[in-house]
Amino acid sequence: MGLYLCWKRQWLVVLEDAMASSSSPKDVLSLFAAEEYSSRHSLVDFRVKQFAYACIQAVHQNRNLLKDQLLIASEESGTPTILLLEAVVLLTDPRLPWACKIVGYLLQRNIYVLLRDIVLTGKRSMNLQGFVGIVSSLERILVLFASHVGQPPCVCQPIDPQWSFSSLILTIPFLWKLFPYLKEVFGTRGLLQHYIHQMALCVQNHANVLPNDISPEFPGYACLLGNLLETAGVAFAEPDCSFDLAIDFAAVATFLLGALPPIQVSNRGNFTMGEDDMIVGDELTEKVLNRDLEQQISNAIDPSFLLQLTNVLFGGFSCINGSYKGRPNDKDVAAVGAACAFLHVTFNILPLERTMTVLAYRTELVHVLWNFMKRCHENQKWSSLTEQSKYLPADAPGWLLPLAVFCPVYKHMLMIVDNEEFYEQEKPLSLTDISCLIVILRQALWQLLWVNPVPIPNFVKSASSVFALKKHPVEFIQYRVSIVASELLSQLQDWNNRRQFTPPSDFNADGVNDYFISQAMIENTRAYDLLKQAPFLVPFTSRAKLFNTQLTVVRERHGSHAVFTRNRFRIRRDHILEDAFNQLSALSEQDLRGLIRVTFVNEFGVEEAGIDGGGIFKDFMENITRAAFDVQYGLFKETADHLLYPNPGSGLIHEQHLQFFNFLGTVLGKAMFEGILVDIPFATFFLSKLKQKYNYLNDLPSLDPELYRHLIFLKHYEGDISELELYFVILNNEYGEQTEEELLPRGKDIRVNNENVITFIHLVANHRLNFQIRQQSSYFLRGFQQLIQKDWIDMFNEHELQLLISGAIDGFDVDDLRSHTNYAGGYHREHYVIEMFWEVIKHFSLENQCKFLKFVTGCSRGPLLGFKYLEPLFCIQRAAGSASEEALDRLPTSATCMNLLKLPPYRSIEQMEQKLLYAINADAGFDLS
């Protein structure tokens, strides 16, 4: 208090008189300049400067003693602190002729350093709840000083950014709770644009101008970000908000967001942290934001803020409706670069579910980014973004940032749109545009995963996306694009499988060759990693060959040491399911991978003829699947399209239903493991379970088209939905037993209305597609994965998986079979009997062709990759002793284990057709083999 006591005698009376008077500029001028200011202004200015600085210095030096007075209302003029601070307010009134001189002098003396200390001291001693609505003298000083930015009529000179209002005051935690009036002035009087622009220049020049952190929990850049976000939301809501302000703000906010330490788990995006994740390179970081500060940042980037920011950035976009052609102009590039850089960082900081919906449905982001990308693609001008944008190095691909933002937002939209919107109304993008998008995504992925791959483990092991972004910004964007583009392309492939709008080959990369395929079999190679992340880039036939090769390797590994067959089943044909369940369920996983040989017993208790060399086992697999998956058995039900899915009420029919589902999963896995095609048409949404995927609304038509129509009716209902008296419950009716289930806790008390109807729709779809059959699917998957690894299945989508299980549904290529057939016993390619044989087979109906194939190979479906891969190759042998007339009346026979047809030399095409039809329709088991 020494300085204050020294002044008390000389100035206390003056200060009290000034406070008590009208305090008009004229009175203050008269008080300090006496009769004529113009004649003695230099002396007066000097004294006023010294006096104003001395007042603030006095408060600063004694701030700990005066801490309870620092932030009190200016009306309490009797306190020493208020007298000193109000004197500064009076002396810096902008209407006084010396105002700029005084403030300029104080700014050059780094007055914000003193003011920062005063604010922080007062903040620590006050209860914010008791000061709501109060304007303190300190706040009035900050309002006056902050307004001096060198713009007319102000003539103050610029100061070093390190000592500026931005660096020293805006980095105070929760500044606007202390000074709400300052927030109002800062956000609405052009000050925000000035200070944001100055900060943007610092960011561009990589200048570190922030003060030392108050504490590890309150880093300066995080406090600055929280304060800026709160006031920027007010500015962006103004109808005349500047585009330049939005550009500068995006630059500053992007930098500050990228500098944040890891945000608490509850507020993080897709990345998760393990025990060792706090290690980044050789650094160990323990930085954790204060929860209230974290909440300030998280709450500020709310849907309305995102809407306002994108509206300002894209308000003048030249190609928002897709009609504008040619290279994007500079303003378009600036808008896209700023928006994408900010959103890319935001996606890795905040919960995605909160940001995606507003970006997808309340902004033009998807259309703007798509039209920008399409123009760049058509004009080969991707480089324009890196040439003109400050967010990417010049050597980075220009498509990185747009794809990093577009892919997750568009993917979110595709989860909500229904089939009519996508296919018929072509919303949000036309089918033609989607075909073009597929090409862009495919080319980008091939570049990222094969031509210039990113070392993914560096990012998986890092503490969080934030650190990876900060230490390796371009590499991290590449990694993120490879993830989100893969997910989006996979989703678009699902839509194309439901109803084809583009050739399936559009998803295949152009550069897949023999070298790539050879590398894809070797773990930890680029090709292997690509196949795991984006299998659709590789043609289906190539992936199917790899799958078969993997199976062959494993089969040989498990069968190479088998001197004899350990497992022999004796199966009664009239109890095939019971016997198979009891004997197969008793095998270990090791035994399941080994050879199993089957002997059939007919209804008379007599063992059927034939030694199982593989063909009888194939017959066993086809018969058991036909019996177990028959809807009459009760484990599976049929959709309207006759596709199979687990019966939600299976437990009402079979006490051991879950054990049976485990058994059936094993049966299917064994069939695929042995390369045996089985005619089981599964519903797509059930095949998703084998890939451990969830199903969504657009999968519902395949299960319950009527329910789907009702839900879509609700989605587009224009009236008051609450009048329909719907609640968050669903009725189940299985075999006459009706049960009610709540879709949400206390769902029977929650009425469906226009606000929550979308949630209701997706909960209903989730219940029918996922929840009702979760146990059955889980047990089926458990049995399936005993033989088929998840990595193998992940190479294929659901449509392709059905082909692996059942083969092509449109018969087989007779010419392909003929080209890969061997002959024995005197037959050859040009033999007249062989010529007649192929003529008969070629003119068989599709049904009879399938029966013939089953008769010879034990399976009604042809090999997935063609008969070149049939093992062993199909062979036609002249039947023994077939020269006599009596022998010519014999039927053809087969050895399915060898894919061998024993064909008598019939003399006419009519006789051959008659005998073949009789044989393939006799259904005589292995008595004809």
Side-chain angles (χ1 to χ4, degrees), residues 393-407:
D395 58 345
W399 37 262
L400 278 176
L401 271 176
L403 285 182
V405 174
F406 174 86
C407 289

Side-chain angles (χ1 to χ4, degrees), residues 597-660:
R597 291 298 177 241
V598 174
T599 298
F600 277 115
V601 178
N602 65 23
E603 63 271 24
F604 304 110
V606 179
E607 290 188 359
E608 295 181 2
I611 297 174
D612 188 2
I616 299 178
F617 180 74
K618 286 194 285 186
D619 184 62
F620 160 74
M621 294 297 291
E622 188 154 304
N623 279 279
I624 195 175
T625 52
R626 184 187 301 122
F629 289 96
D630 192 317
V631 296
Q632 299 300 320
Y633 193 69
L635 290 176
F636 278 78
K637 297 182 75 173
E638 271 188 341
T639 68
D641 297 325
H642 305 292
L643 302 176
L644 297 174
Y645 68 98
N647 179 6
S650 58
L652 300 174
I653 299 176
H654 298 281
E655 184 178 348
Q656 290 184 289
H657 70 121
L658 295 180
Q659 289 73 21
F660 265 100

Side-chain angles (χ1 to χ4, degrees), residues 71 112 115-116 118-120 123 126 128 134 136 138-139 142-143 146 165-184 186 214 218 222-228 230-231 293 296:
L71 296 175
Y112 285 127
L115 293 175
R116 175 184 173 85
I118 295 171
V119 172
L120 291 175
K123 181 175 180 292
M126 69 178 293
L128 292 179
I134 292 176
S136 67
L138 193 55
E139 182 173 13
L142 290 172
V143 168
F165 178 84
S166 302
S167 298
L168 295 169
I169 303 302
L170 289 179
T171 54
I172 295 174
F174 314 115
L175 181 68
W176 310 129
K177 286 186 177 180
L178 296 172
F179 306 128
Y181 175 58
L182 176 62
K183 175 186 178 182
E184 178 184 343
F186 185 76
I214 295 172
F218 291 98
C223 299
L224 174 62
L225 176 63
N227 292 329
L228 288 180
E230 284 191 0
T231 192
L293 177 57
Q296 180 193 27

Side-chain angles (χ1 to χ4, degrees), residues 615-616 618 812 817 821 837 841 848-860 867 870 872-877 892-903 916 919-920 926 928-929:
I616 299 178
K618 286 194 285 186
F812 64 88
L817 177 59
T821 297
F837 169 78
I841 297 299
N848 284 330
Q849 284 181 348
C850 292
K851 287 181 178 180
F852 164 75
L853 199 59
K854 183 182 187 308
F855 176 75
V856 179
T857 69
C859 181
S860 60
F867 289 95
L870 184 65
L873 282 180
F874 178 51
C875 182
I876 303 176
Q877 176 182 309
T893 59
S894 66
T896 55
C897 58
M898 300 176 62
N899 297 325
L900 174 65
L901 174 66
K902 300 173 184 178
L903 183 67
L916 280 171
I920 66 177
F926 280 80
L928 280 179
S929 63

Side-chain angles (χ1 to χ4, degrees), residues 565-582:
T565 303
R566 295 178 53 186
N567 300 291
R568 296 183 179 275
F569 291 176
R570 194 171 186 270
I571 303 294
R572 297 169 293 174
R573 280 198 180 271
D574 53 351
H575 293 80
I576 187 170
L577 198 55
E578 176 186 345
D579 290 351
F581 175 74
N582 291 330

Side-chain angles (χ1 to χ4, degrees), residues 646 661 686 689 773-782:
F661 277 107
F686 175 62
K689 305 305 179 186
I773 59 173
R774 70 193 186 286
Q775 284 189 308
Q776 293 90 332
S777 300
S778 176
Y779 274 80
F780 190 96
L781 178 64
R782 190 180 305 171

Side-chain angles (χ1 to χ4, degrees), residues 348-625:
N348 296 298
I349 296 294
L350 300 177
L352 291 180
E353 63 273 10
R354 195 183 69 181
T355 58
M356 286 298 164
T357 300
V358 65
L359 292 174
Y361 297 103
R362 298 182 60 195
T363 74
E364 294 289 343
L365 182 69
V366 165
H367 292 97
V368 166
L369 291 185
W370 166 242
N371 285 304
F372 178 86
M373 293 190 299
K374 184 168 65 171
R375 285 165 58 191
C376 289
H377 178 72
E378 291 172 348
N379 294 280
Q380 294 299 304
K381 293 297 182 182
W382 281 115
S383 60
S384 61
L385 192 59
T386 49
E387 289 171 357
Q388 302 176 47
S389 173
K390 53 182 171 289
Y391 300 100
L392 281 175
D395 58 345
W399 37 262
L400 278 176
L401 271 176
L403 285 182
V405 174
F406 174 86
C407 289
V409 178
Y410 184 51
K411 178 175 177 286
H412 182 80
M413 296 183 81
L414 292 181
M415 294 171 61
I416 306 298
V417 299
D418 55 67
N419 290 335
E420 182 180 352
E421 289 171 323
F422 185 90
Y423 296 111
E424 311 300 340
Q425 300 175 15
E426 300 194 16
K427 293 179 179 179
L429 298 180
S430 71
L431 297 180
T432 301
D433 280 347
I434 295 174
S435 297
C436 179
L437 171 62
I438 290 170
V439 173
I440 293 174
L441 293 174
R442 181 192 74 204
Q443 293 176 347
L445 269 179
W446 184 252
Q447 179 74 21
L448 292 172
L449 298 178
W450 180 250
V451 179
N452 185 28
V454 179
I456 293 177
N458 289 353
F459 300 116
V460 173
K461 294 177 182 177
S462 59
S464 75
S465 58
V466 177
F467 280 113
L469 183 65
K470 184 177 179 180
K471 298 171 77 70
H472 310 282
V474 176
E475 291 83 354
F476 181 73
I477 297 176
Q478 288 178 308
Y479 169 62
R480 286 296 298 154
V481 170
S482 72
I483 297 297
V484 296
S486 295
E487 293 173 346
L488 178 56
L489 261 181
S490 178
Q491 198 169 14
L492 290 172
Q493 190 181 44
D494 289 342
W495 284 96
N496 197 50
N497 287 336
R498 291 191 197 105
R499 190 187 305 177
Q500 187 171 313
F501 57 85
T502 195
S505 59
D506 280 359
F507 293 88
N508 304 149
D510 299 328
V512 177
N513 52 27
D514 292 340
Y515 172 74
F516 177 92
I517 298 300
S518 67
Q519 291 290 298
M521 283 294 295
I522 306 172
E523 291 191 22
N524 300 320
T525 61
R526 281 186 293 169
Y528 181 87
D529 293 337
L530 181 147
L531 194 61
K532 288 180 64 176
Q533 183 171 333
F536 41 77
L537 293 179
V538 181
F540 171 65
T541 53
S542 298
R543 284 179 280 126
K545 290 176 186 177
L546 288 171
F547 178 67
N548 285 340
T549 302
Q550 289 168 325
L551 289 176
T552 301
V553 170
V554 177
R555 284 199 303 265
E556 290 176 351
R557 185 188 309 148
H558 285 269
S560 58
H561 303 296
V563 178
F564 57 90
T565 303
R566 295 178 53 186
N567 300 291
R568 296 183 179 275
F569 291 176
R570 194 171 186 270
I571 303 294
R572 297 169 293 174
R573 280 198 180 271
D574 53 351
H575 293 80
I576 187 170
L577 198 55
E578 176 186 345
D579 290 351
F581 175 74
N582 291 330
Q583 296 180 62
L584 200 64
S585 299
L587 298 185
S588 67
E589 184 172 320
Q590 182 75 12
D591 286 339
L592 286 171
R593 292 174 179 266
L595 293 176
I596 298 174
R597 291 298 177 241
V598 174
T599 298
F600 277 115
V601 178
N602 65 23
E603 63 271 24
F604 304 110
V606 179
E607 290 188 359
E608 295 181 2
I611 297 174
D612 188 2
I616 299 178
F617 180 74
K618 286 194 285 186
D619 184 62
F620 160 74
M621 294 297 291
E622 188 154 304
N623 279 279
I624 195 175
T625 52

Side-chain angles (χ1 to χ4, degrees), residues 198-207 251-252 255-256:
Q198 296 304 312
M199 285 183 267
L201 294 177
C202 292
V203 169
Q204 278 184 322
N205 298 326
H206 306 285
V252 174
F255 172 80
L256 296 175

